[in-house]
Amino acid sequence: ERLRPAAGAGRALRAPADSRTAGERLVAKLPERVVKGGQVCEVRAAIAEKLGIATPSSAGGGSASRSVSAPPRQAAAREVSLLRAGRGSEEPVARLQVKLEGGQKVLLNMEFHATVGELWEALATWRAKNSIARASPECTLRTAFPPKAYTDRKS
C-alpha cells in the first residue's frame, strides 16, 4: 500500500498540444544537411519528400535549401574531365572546384601533373560552352588554404 500512489497523484503529464503529425515532428528533429565523404548531403528535405511532408523551405517560407558552399545539384553539367583516355585507374587525380566571379562552380578532374595553363584553358572552354563571358585579364586563380594567387596563365 505504501507504493500505491495517492488518488490523482499518478496522472501522466501532457505536453502542450502540438498540431504537427508524428512525421513532421520526426523531420523537425533531423539535421538539415550533413557532410559525407566531403559532399554536403540534404537530409531533412529528402526525408520529408519521402514522407510527403512539406518543409518550410519547400513551401517557400524558409531560407534556401542549399548552403552557399554546397555543390550544385546538377554537378554533372558543371564537371569537366581533363583526364587522358586510357589512363590507369590507380594513377593519381587532381580534383579541383573553381568558383567563378558570377558564383558558378566548376568541378575539374585533372591529371596530377596538369598545369595552371591547362586549367585556364579548360575554364575558358567551359565558359564558352555554357555562354558565360570570358574571364577579364585581371582575374586570378586563388587557393583557399594555403592562400596563394596564380596570375600566370601559361604555367
Side-chain angles (χ1 to χ4, degrees), residues 55-63:
T55 60
S57 60
S58 67
S63 61

Side-chain angles (χ1 to χ4, degrees), residues 27 44-49 53-62 65:
V27 168
R44 188 179 297 168
I47 299 295
E49 184 179 335
I53 299 170
T55 60
S57 60
S58 67
S65 65

Side-chain angles (χ1 to χ4, degrees), residues 5 9 11-12 17 28 31 34 45 48 61-62 70 82 92 100 109 112 114-115 120 126 143 147 153:
R11 288 184 290 168
V34 297
L82 301 177
L100 304 178
N109 293 312
F112 192 71
T115 66
W120 277 111
W126 186 88
T143 58
R153 294 185 182 216

Side-chain angles (χ1 to χ4, degrees), residues 24-48:
E24 289 170 334
R25 288 192 303 272
L26 169 70
V27 168
K29 293 177 184 178
L30 296 172
E32 284 189 46
R33 57 189 74 82
V34 297
V35 177
K36 181 178 181 184
Q39 297 288 329
V40 177
C41 303
E42 296 292 329
V43 174
R44 188 179 297 168
I47 299 295

Side-chain angles (χ1 to χ4, degrees), residues 75-87 93-96 106-111 114 118-119 121-123 125-126 129:
R78 299 189 187 263
E79 263 192 59
V80 177
S81 178
L82 301 177
L83 302 173
R84 61 181 163 76
R87 67 185 303 281
V93 174
R95 186 167 166 86
L96 304 173
V106 183
L107 297 170
L108 297 112
N109 293 312
M110 306 173 66
E111 298 292 342
E118 291 171 323
L119 175 59
E121 288 174 25
L123 290 172
T125 302
W126 186 88
K129 181 179 172 185

